[in-house]
Amino acid sequence: MRPNIAIDGPAGAGKSSVARGLAQRLGYTYIDTGAMYRAVAYRALQAGLDVNTDPEAIAELAGRLRFEFREVDGARHLFVDGEDVEGPIRTREVGNLSSPVSAIPGVRRHLVAAQQRMARNGGCVMEGRDIGTVVLPDAKVKVFLTASAAVRARRRQLQLAQRGIHRSLEEILRDQKERDERDSNRSIAPLRQADDAVLIDTDNMTEDQVIEAIIALVRKVTGDAQGA
Ligand code: DC
């Protein structure tokens, strides 16, 4: 069976582009678990549910959603109950709401179970905050990506600009700081490097260099020169 690869780290450390590129190189399936938490936030917003007063209803909603990643024009999009939610889940409002939503224990229970089902046949590159610690504690390859706050904010700004969204560095830094603190300090499945994860600081590395470093780790566990 092909190994699963767990990639964790804070927002903007380069997880998404690295995980996507890595999956492409290896012919593995890329799973963006943050998109799933965003989708729950989006659906909760649509249903008029409040994260402070309706956590149980939001958890119940999360348990009813059917998640599926599909290829659309060469990009991976998340579909929820057959609806392509890639656009709405990337808005600032949904992004900010996804952090408190992801701290609801019942939401995590449902999403972790769905993620474990997706990875049960191996060959997944799964990216998030708790993949190496909670979702796939037995993953053969675990990586924790970091970068300085300034570099992460700058990357995020460029990423948004590519989608035609222009935001100031100050605003991005503010959102990022708030989200990092909440994700790292929550009592359930906080952002934390697994004891057996390899730490990669991406500040002075290109995306390709990071991908190569992870492929070297994959080769070590598969003993295969192709890395797959
Ligand atoms: O990576 P992202 O910004 O798309 O994640 C959205 C939110 O979901 C973020 O606040 C962290 C949270 N998250 C989580 O708690 N666990 C994961 N495995 C992935 C994301």
Side-chain angles (χ1 to χ4, degrees), residues 37-49:
Y37 288 98
R38 286 168 181 265
V40 175
Y42 166 57
R43 280 300 175 89
L45 206 59
Q46 271 187 325
L49 295 171

Side-chain angles (χ1 to χ4, degrees), residues 7-12 15-16 32-38 89-90 94-103 108 112 115 126-131 135 156 179-180 182-183 186 188-191:
I7 301 186
D8 291 301
K15 292 189 307 285
S16 298
D32 169 6
T33 62
M36 297 167 73
Y37 288 98
R38 286 168 181 265
I89 65 171
R90 302 298 166 191
V94 170
N96 286 341
L97 186 63
S98 67
S99 181
V101 161
S102 73
R108 299 204 74 85
V112 166
Q115 290 153 11
M126 192 174 279
E127 168 231 321
R129 305 291 193 288
D130 61 340
I131 311 306
V135 182
R156 177 92 187 117
R179 195 119 62 94
D180 281 353
R182 196 156 348 138
D183 294 342
R186 67 181 174 217
I188 174 172
L191 171 64

Side-chain angles (χ1 to χ4, degrees), residues 4 132 135-142:
N4 285 315
V135 182
L136 305 175
D138 298 328
K140 291 282 183 294
V141 178
K142 294 184 187 178

